[in-house]
Amino acid sequence: SFHHAPGGYHRHYLYEPEGFKEQMALRRIEDETLANYVPPTKQVPGAGLAGYFWSQCDAQDSSITWRDVKAITDDPDQPPYLRMTLLEQAGYGKACGVPFDLRGHRGVVLYFA
């Protein structure tokens, strides 16, 4: 299963969601002091964004394909994952995953736009 690397989340300081609903969705992912904060949880291959992108490519794959986040969250075969839904609500419309295999450590780095 995949786990969220401590300190592995970074949002560029210039990105601010436009509406109140979008800002609150992003805060629920970022602000650990909120009562309704949604922490990252382990994801199995194929589930959640990290698992989805991991199942789509391997570490030798040099192509990057941006996917529509809504299409992934609306996929009936995709198990519900609240953080993934909140990322979509926060205004991220596209995502891509770049797999890596570095000295025996394998994973995927996610980028959002």
Side-chain angles (χ1 to χ4, degrees), residues 46-83:
L49 287 173
Y52 171 82
F53 284 109
W54 181 260
S55 69
Q56 298 298 309
C57 55
D58 61 37
Q60 287 75 37
D61 189 358
S62 61
S63 65
I64 297 174
T65 304
W66 289 88
R67 305 279 187 209
D68 184 42
V69 175
K70 183 155 183 54
I72 299 169
T73 60
D74 288 348
D75 183 346
D77 294 326
Q78 184 66 237
Y81 184 58
L82 184 55
R83 283 180 67 91

Side-chain angles (χ1 to χ4, degrees), residues 9-55:
Y9 173 83
H10 173 75
R11 174 175 51 94
H12 193 277
Y13 70 94
L14 291 178
Y15 177 72
E16 276 297 326
E18 293 186 16
F20 178 76
K21 178 182 171 186
E22 292 83 2
Q23 291 173 4
M24 291 309 298
L26 192 59
R27 285 191 62 209
R28 288 186 66 192
I29 295 170
E30 296 181 343
D31 189 350
E32 296 179 24
T33 65
L34 290 179
N36 62 349
Y37 168 71
V38 179
T41 57
K42 288 185 178 182
Q43 298 176 20
V44 297
L49 287 173
Y52 171 82
F53 284 109
W54 181 260
S55 69

Side-chain angles (χ1 to χ4, degrees), residues 86-109:
L86 290 171
L87 285 165
E88 179 201 344
Q89 290 175 359
Y92 292 109
K94 301 285 183 185
C96 74
V98 178
F100 65 88
D101 187 348
L102 184 63
R103 297 183 187 165
H105 297 280
R106 297 175 63 199
V108 63
V109 177

